[in-house]
Amino acid sequence: MDLSDSSSVSRRVQLSKVSEVERVEDRLSCLKAIFGTTIGVNESSFDWCPDGSPPSPQELLGWLWFLEPDINIKLKSQASGQLAKLMTAYDEDNLDIWWQQLLEQYD
């Protein structure tokens, strides 16, 4: 997928279409720390409301990962900065360490 073209990406996704829904709050809070409030939460769906027009490739990748944390390796390899660190920490079940490192940046 070309991360510079978000035109074919759904901006509203039903909760039933989101993978690992039991950990959706973890992903949502982490992505808010990186990108701000770009994901809206509704009763039965999520909305992607990117800051930029067009959205940055990292913002798009964050949305795709939010929906499907097991996205393919090729897409994950395009992550950089805090998003890349977040994806690794999530996969390794080390979000506490990721949060600690993120907060230390601001000390």
Side-chain angles (χ1 to χ4, degrees), residues 40-65:
V41 179
N42 303 304
E43 189 171 315
S44 61
S45 65
F46 295 97
D47 291 331
W48 183 44
C49 313
D51 286 334
S53 182
S56 75
Q58 292 300 294
E59 204 172 13
L60 172 56
L61 184 55
W63 170 241
L64 296 174
W65 176 79

Side-chain angles (χ1 to χ4, degrees), residues 54-97:
S56 75
Q58 292 300 294
E59 204 172 13
L60 172 56
L61 184 55
W63 170 241
L64 296 174
W65 176 79
F66 171 77
L67 300 173
E68 180 66 52
D70 288 331
I71 60 176
N72 72 50
I73 290 294
K74 186 175 180 183
L75 274 176
K76 273 190 178 179
S77 70
Q78 296 180 57
S80 63
Q82 281 300 327
L83 182 58
K85 292 175 185 176
L86 169 59
M87 289 176 171
T88 300
Y90 184 89
D91 288 345
E92 295 173 354
D93 203 23
N94 286 326
L95 288 181
D96 289 342
I97 293 170

Side-chain angles (χ1 to χ4, degrees), residues 1-76:
M1 168 176 224
D2 178 8
L3 292 177
S4 65
D5 180 17
S6 64
S7 62
S8 64
V9 175
S10 297
R11 301 272 176 137
R12 175 169 283 175
V13 175
Q14 295 301 310
L15 178 63
S16 61
K17 303 279 186 187
V18 176
S19 295
E20 295 185 29
V21 72
E22 68 280 356
R23 292 185 70 192
V24 76
E25 290 295 327
D26 287 338
R27 295 192 307 276
L28 182 62
S29 62
C30 292
L31 288 171
K32 280 184 179 182
I34 297 173
F35 299 112
T37 309
T38 60
I39 299 174
V41 179
N42 303 304
E43 189 171 315
S44 61
S45 65
F46 295 97
D47 291 331
W48 183 44
C49 313
D51 286 334
S53 182
S56 75
Q58 292 300 294
E59 204 172 13
L60 172 56
L61 184 55
W63 170 241
L64 296 174
W65 176 79
F66 171 77
L67 300 173
E68 180 66 52
D70 288 331
I71 60 176
N72 72 50
I73 290 294
K74 186 175 180 183
L75 274 176
K76 273 190 178 179

